[in-house]
Amino acid sequence: MPDLSVEFRGVKAPNPFWLASAPPTNSEYQVRRAFDAGWGGAVWKTLGFEPIVNVSSRYGAIDFEGRKVVGLNNIELITDRTLDVNLAEIARVKKAHPKHALFVSLMVESRREAWHEIVKRTQDAGADGIELNFGCPHGMSERGMGSAVGQVPEYARMITGWAKEVATVPVMVKLTPNVADVTAIGRAAVEGGADALSLINTINSVMGVDLETLAPKPSVGGYGSHGGYCGPAVKPIALNMVSSLAKDPRVGVPISGIGGIETWQDAAEFLLLGAGSVQVCTAVMHRGFRIVDGLIDGLSGWMRSKGFGRIGDFAGKSVPRLKPWGELDLNYKVVAEIDQAKCIHCGLCYVACEDGCHQSIRWEREPAQVGIRPGVGDGSLNVFTIEQDSCVGCNMCSLVCPVEGCIAMKPVDRGLAPMSWNQYQAMLAEERVAKIEPPGHA
Amino acid sequence: MPRAGERRSPEELARNFAEAPPLGPSEALFEASRCLYCFDAPCTRACPTGIDVPRFIRQLLHRDEIGAAKTILGANIFGGSCARACPTEVLCEGACVDRLLSGGPIPIGRLQRLACDSAEGVSFFEPGPPTGKKVAIVGAGPAGLSCAHELRRLGHDVTVFEGRSLPGGLDTHGVAAYKLSTDFVLAEIERICAIGIDLRLNHPVTPAGLRELLNEFDSVFLGIGLGRTLPLGIEGEDLAGVWESLDFIDQTRVRPFEECEVGREVIVIGGGNTAIDVATAARRLGAEKVTIAYRRDEASMPAFAFEYDLAKGDGVRFEWFAAPLRIVGEDGAARGVEFARTRLDESGQLQMIPESNFILPADMVVKALGQGPLVEWLEALPGLEHRAGRIVAEATTGATSIAGLFAGGDCLRKGGEVVDAVQDGKVAAKGIDARLKARMGRASDSQ
């Protein structure tokens, strides 16, 4: 069994699967249930000095063609319970679960004394670390907190500094994705003394409109407000931001990856792209704490199959594989190939290629022996083959194919040495290479 | 004959003949989400009326039930009936590629039913601008009414003549009651006729009458179906308790179930889908023992596999290799059937085995050998080309050998599905329209 334990800026946890600061970490009852279920750590739902007041309803979801909650948004605020109650519960959880990582998310007004006080009280309660919530895009941001801080590098740097002035435990800064350049904020937080970063917080969003009542979703008595978007649909945005910070030499602190993690594969991808732990919320809100079993089993199995004994053996391993576009090899070529034995004749590859891509799939009707059988409607069978000469290797047909392993993208050896766009430009300038001809169909 | 067999309460009978429950909204969305939205979809190509199945399923998935119904009814105005009566397993669902992916097809028929039912009361189609041309339709079955509806959409005046007191042809009189209720069919036909079809019931048309219609109207469509069930040609067919399959099914469609006649022990002779319909109906009405007797083996039986399974599920027995010799009677009433055992010789020819006769008792015998053609009726129309009672018509227009006379439905073939008849009606409407427009063009040229 591979070792899943992590040490994240000095904080140890039995595994990298942590719960994000969110409704599932609202109370002692929930966090203890989560730790009992197998979660390695948790970030307590954001504390402030005064309990806030919430609205009803609070969540909105995107369902996609039969799959529920592929995206979720909320207009819930930080904790609606008193600081004293929360801190007492934190102390009890920490006592009962000393081996689990327990960070506590904080958000108070932008006053040095306020931050000093809450940081001190939180670490006194026994928190292993503190997460500064510079990310919430709704409700609190209008009051000058959350993403209002996280969108301005100077504020992020300053408030991180205030927390660090009194912190005796690691301070992690949670970043908002609602910025043009997340690395600017990440660098500022590190300059302010951040020991770690976590991202992404939710993306600003309006979930939709009820076509019956014309009210926005989620609706509060017929009215709505922008809220924070999360869930499986946001994962690629999070991976880009996590990896860009992991690559940045001016950041250089551990990152806790957040954003749409539902499966062990998602977690492995975040770890490969620079995260040292991952935080989960939507998947748990959807299906409960029990999903952690599958995450642990799946990641362990994959690590075993890859020969990775510890998380550290692969964490960050894919970061160097991300390069600027101009450094990618223009001479590398793949073409699609359809396994006719697996093809079910749905024609999705054909129509995708024909209408959206490069018209490189041939469609023929073959007479069939039987009038009607699967794929045969009127005595003929649609047969699709790749025109490999004009196929540009875009992937689209293989992406839409519903059959596992039916369309493969096969590398073609063109006998050309690798050449990136940057090299190509340099060589063109020196007239060492001929201009690349447009593809045949252009 | 008096009702024999087990007594069943009206409630129990209603349950026995109730339609399968409709798809619930969540089930429908789940099933619709499975559809791949195939390009040049095999299901659509397998549908005689060419319903754009992926399109209507996607409309259901995106909660546009009314749009889905319009997609279906635009191609097949009997979409509601066909959703219930079509042998989808050997049509759209038989061609569904999801069988190759998940093992089971998308339940296209049930999704179609949901879409059509959702749009009840919505009218999608309007008559076209009046052309001043008049078309007579003979027979208010699916072929005739489909043709009539299409012609109204094209602006022609349409009068439908139906000999029986109810419209619908086999849709009303011949489809198994558990598949299709008569109330449903009549409501569907009312919606179809709302486009402005002049439907004249109890108005049989003789061959002489048809010739008058050809003079009186600009074109005539013939959708008269087939004749009576073929006789067995054996002794005892006139005994009380001997039924033709269509009469037996018809009673379940037009009478309250508790007033339908059924024997205690029923023998159904034949191996097609109609034999199955009769046998399952007899069981559901209360017959204690129902046996389908067929001359050949199980594998040769023309009934669809899913129909066979249904009959077995209803407790119907099967007597293979049994050729009927005579119906045994007593006091003028059927008491059983004497069969000879048959076998297939090496060349596959059916042979009767000498001295193998046996009698199966029965108080009701139903002949289910299929319907015979209306040869005499057709012969009475000089110049009408037919082959052994099947009218010869152009595949792309429905035109017969008589100018201005078009035909479709079962009178063209040995007996097809409702959906085939609907398509014939559409094809003939286009053929008629082309003919009438051509003549209108000539008329306006000469002005």
Side-chain angles (χ1 to χ4, degrees):
Chain A
M1 176 89 177
D3 178 8
L4 293 192
S5 69
V6 289
E7 189 174 332
F8 186 88
R9 196 66 190 211
V11 177
K12 289 180 180 165
N15 64 52
F17 300 113
W18 298 4
L19 290 169
S21 166
T25 58
N26 188 47
S27 66
E28 176 187 2
Y29 172 76
Q30 288 165 292
V31 175
R32 291 182 70 160
R33 255 173 79 79
F35 287 165
D36 286 341
W39 291 88
V43 183
W44 200 277
K45 185 173 164 86
T46 309
L47 307 183
F49 285 119
E50 286 299 320
I52 55 75
V53 180
N54 271 313
V55 292
S56 163
S57 61
R58 303 175 199 174
Y59 302 125
I62 295 278
D63 300 339
F64 184 72
E65 297 189 350
R67 301 306 295 188
K68 302 288 280 185
V69 196
V70 296
L72 180 72
N73 116 326
N74 79 89
I75 53 171
E76 186 173 293
L77 304 183
I78 63 173
T79 186
D80 57 2
R81 307 179 323 139
T82 66
L83 185 59
D84 288 340
V85 165
N86 275 301
L87 292 175
E89 290 188 5
I90 287 164
R92 284 202 293 272
V93 170
K94 199 55 225 171
K95 205 168 172 192
H97 296 272
K99 292 187 173 160
H100 290 77
L102 186 61
F103 277 66
V104 175
S105 173
L106 301 177
M107 182 196 289
V108 291
E109 63 193 289
S110 297
R111 251 184 342 108
R112 183 183 222 142
E113 298 72 29
W115 280 99
H116 281 181
E117 183 186 343
I118 200 156
V119 167
K120 281 193 253 176
R121 289 182 66 182
T122 304
Q123 63 197 17
D124 288 348
D128 295 315
I130 281 161
E131 185 180 80
L132 308 184
N133 182 342
F134 291 175
C136 271
H138 55 89
M140 306 310 284
S141 52
E142 289 94 326
R143 305 176 200 176
M145 293 181 265
S147 64
V149 174
Q151 285 167 333
V152 183
E154 291 72 29
Y155 295 171
R157 185 185 302 112
M158 178 175 73
I159 295 175
T160 308
W162 291 345
K164 282 296 288 181
E165 285 167 0
V166 295
T168 56
V169 294
V171 172
M172 175 158 72
V173 174
K174 186 164 178 176
L175 302 181
T176 174
N178 301 305
V179 290
D181 177 13
V182 77
T183 54
I185 312 291
R187 286 173 184 175
V190 170
E191 285 158 15
D195 299 299
L197 300 175
S198 55
L199 70 159
I200 58 174
N201 205 310
T202 53
I203 302 172
N204 232 333
S205 59
V206 169
M207 289 312 271
V209 177
D210 182 323
L211 296 180
E212 198 52 45
T213 63
L214 312 192
K217 296 188 211 176
S219 155
V220 179
Y223 295 86
S225 188
H226 66 97
Y229 186 52
C230 53
V234 312
K235 184 184 101 175
I237 298 166
L239 283 177
N240 176 50
M241 292 191 170
V242 165
S243 58
S244 61
L245 287 163
K247 266 191 105 62
D248 189 335
R250 288 168 61 186
V251 172
V253 298
I255 297 169
S256 192
I258 313 167
I261 295 162
E262 291 261 337
T263 70
W264 65 264
Q265 290 100 325
D266 296 334
E269 289 165 30
F270 271 89
L271 295 167
L272 284 164
L273 286 176
S277 73
V278 295
Q279 296 182 28
V280 178
C281 169
T282 307
V284 162
M285 297 203 56
H286 191 174
R287 303 183 205 276
F289 296 129
R290 62 207 165 108
I291 63 164
V292 74
D293 292 345
L295 298 178
I296 290 170
D297 286 351
L299 189 67
S300 304
W302 173 75
M303 285 171 65
R304 214 168 22 241
S305 75
K306 287 293 194 188
F308 297 135
R310 316 160 44 82
I311 300 288
D313 290 350
F314 67 92
K317 229 177 163 63
S318 296
V319 174
R321 302 274 197 107
L322 279 169
K323 293 204 237 175
W325 191 93
E327 292 176 23
L328 299 177
D329 181 10
L330 295 176
N331 284 337
Y332 179 76
K333 174 86 192 281
V334 291
V335 295
E337 195 170 288
I338 299 172
D339 182 343
Q340 295 296 337
K342 287 184 179 157
C343 176
I344 62 169
H345 315 281
C346 67
L348 292 178
C349 58
Y350 172 79
V351 76
C353 187
E354 199 68 8
D355 291 356
C357 302
H358 297 89
Q359 301 80 46
S360 297
I361 298 183
R362 192 165 44 242
W363 165 35
E364 289 158 311
R365 277 192 171 178
E366 262 181 18
Q369 302 290 326
V370 185
I372 291 176
R373 65 174 164 82
V376 176
D378 53 358
S380 65
L381 184 68
N382 285 332
V383 176
F384 303 98
T385 42
I386 304 290
E387 306 261 20
Q388 299 206 329
D389 289 344
S390 61
C391 173
V392 302
C394 74
N395 271 357
M396 198 64 206
C397 57
S398 71
L399 297 179
V400 299
C401 178
V403 182
E404 202 68 29
C406 178
I407 300 184
M409 304 303 295
K410 299 248 164 110
V412 179
D413 185 0
R414 301 200 293 172
L416 299 171
M419 176 180 66
S420 71
W421 169 260
N422 295 347
Q423 291 167 328
Y424 175 48
Q425 292 306 297
M427 286 160 86
L428 268 184
E430 296 167 16
E431 294 181 1
R432 283 164 51 209
V433 69
K435 216 166 168 202
I436 297 173
E437 290 300 315
H441 53 74
Chain B
M1 77 186 278
R3 263 186 64 80
E6 296 161 35
R7 289 217 163 271
R8 303 253 155 108
S9 68
E11 294 74 29
E12 195 179 356
L13 287 166
R15 266 201 309 280
N16 286 353
F17 286 94
E19 288 190 298
L23 283 174
S26 301
E27 200 181 358
L29 284 176
F30 170 74
E31 295 293 359
S33 75
R34 291 176 52 217
C35 175
L36 296 173
Y37 198 64
C38 290
F39 167 79
D40 189 42
C43 50
T44 294
R45 288 189 282 130
C47 176
T49 59
I51 292 172
D52 190 337
V53 175
R55 174 170 154 186
F56 97 69
I57 292 182
R58 194 165 168 80
Q59 287 172 303
L60 282 181
L61 180 61
H62 296 161
R63 306 199 182 196
D64 181 12
E65 291 86 358
I66 304 298
K70 191 177 176 200
T71 299
I72 294 161
L73 298 175
N76 180 343
I77 196 66
F78 277 92
S81 275
C82 289
R84 291 160 169 84
C86 261
T88 50
E89 289 83 346
V90 295
L91 292 172
C92 51
E93 292 174 21
C96 178
V97 302
D98 225 60
R99 282 178 185 273
L100 302 172
L101 201 60
S102 68
I106 310 299
I108 298 168
R110 297 183 72 200
L111 288 167
Q112 178 169 323
R113 181 176 147 197
L114 177 90
C116 292
D117 289 359
S118 308
E120 220 169 283
V122 182
S123 68
F124 295 112
F125 308 106
E126 290 189 351
T131 61
K133 296 291 175 190
K134 298 188 305 176
V135 182
I137 308 275
V138 181
L145 290 176
S146 150
C147 184
H149 190 265
E150 205 67 23
L151 287 169
R152 283 300 292 142
R153 287 176 73 183
L154 294 164
H156 307 299
D157 268 345
V158 181
T159 310
V160 179
F161 300 97
E162 168 58 47
R164 305 181 77 153
S165 58
L166 292 176
L170 286 189
D171 218 21
T172 303
H173 299 286
V175 177
Y178 72 90
K179 288 182 188 161
L180 200 54
S181 83
T182 306
D183 287 348
F184 175 83
V185 173
L186 295 180
E188 184 177 53
I189 290 171
E190 204 178 305
R191 288 195 292 276
I192 292 170
C193 288
I195 196 168
I197 293 168
D198 181 4
L199 175 60
R200 303 201 185 161
L201 301 172
N202 300 306
H203 201 299
V205 174
T206 61
L210 182 72
R211 280 194 296 271
E212 281 171 31
L213 294 179
L214 280 166
N215 287 329
E216 211 180 306
F217 288 81
D218 296 297
S219 282
V220 176
F221 175 82
L222 201 54
I224 54 173
L226 293 168
R228 301 203 60 84
T229 303
L230 290 164
L232 295 167
I234 59 173
E235 181 191 326
E237 288 192 62
D238 52 355
L239 290 166
V242 179
W243 284 64
E244 294 187 1
S245 55
L246 276 185
D247 293 337
F248 184 82
I249 290 167
D250 186 30
Q251 63 163 351
T252 65
R253 298 297 308 277
V254 301
R255 283 197 220 166
F257 294 119
E258 58 271 26
E259 290 172 21
C260 289
E261 297 180 38
V262 70
R264 198 170 61 78
E265 284 184 281
V266 180
I267 292 176
V268 184
I269 295 171
N273 295 313
T274 305
I276 304 272
D277 284 347
V278 169
T280 55
R283 279 291 292 157
R284 290 167 191 224
L285 284 171
E288 284 164 26
K289 188 174 164 187
V290 177
T291 307
I292 288 179
Y294 180 53
R295 292 177 304 151
R296 295 170 178 270
D297 60 335
E298 193 174 349
S300 313
M301 186 174 62
F304 297 130
F306 59 90
E307 296 278 14
Y308 178 39
D309 289 343
L310 180 92
K312 285 191 287 191
D314 274 4
V316 173
R317 297 156 191 239
F318 288 83
E319 192 69 41
W320 310 112
F321 293 111
L325 296 176
R326 70 182 175 102
I327 299 169
V328 184
E330 198 182 297
D331 302 330
R335 284 290 171 264
V337 179
E338 183 173 355
F339 294 96
R341 199 52 90 190
T342 60
R343 69 173 173 218
L344 295 167
D345 69 12
E346 280 134 30
S347 64
Q349 290 290 308
L350 196 69
Q351 287 182 336
M352 291 209 206
I353 302 171
E355 321 249 325
S356 64
N357 294 13
F358 61 100
I359 291 176
L360 289 180
D363 55 354
M364 182 183 248
V365 179
V366 185
K367 300 180 277 184
L369 299 189
Q371 292 171 268
L374 293 161
V375 180
E376 279 175 36
W377 202 97
L378 301 179
E379 291 283 339
L381 287 169
L384 180 62
E385 195 188 333
H386 69 91
R387 290 197 192 105
R390 327 277 179 225
I391 297 172
V392 176
E394 264 183 31
T396 52
T397 64
T400 70
S401 55
I402 295 178
L405 182 64
F406 295 74
D410 276 356
C411 59
L412 300 190
R413 57 171 72 80
K414 242 178 144 178
E417 303 296 338
V418 174
V419 67
D420 296 309
V422 172
Q423 181 62 12
D424 286 351
K426 278 166 61 187
V427 167
K430 294 214 167 62
I432 290 167
D433 182 60
R435 177 173 186 264
L436 297 181
K437 295 252 164 83
R439 295 170 85 202
M440 285 159 71
R442 274 202 300 280
S444 58
D445 287 348
S446 60
Q447 272 170 4

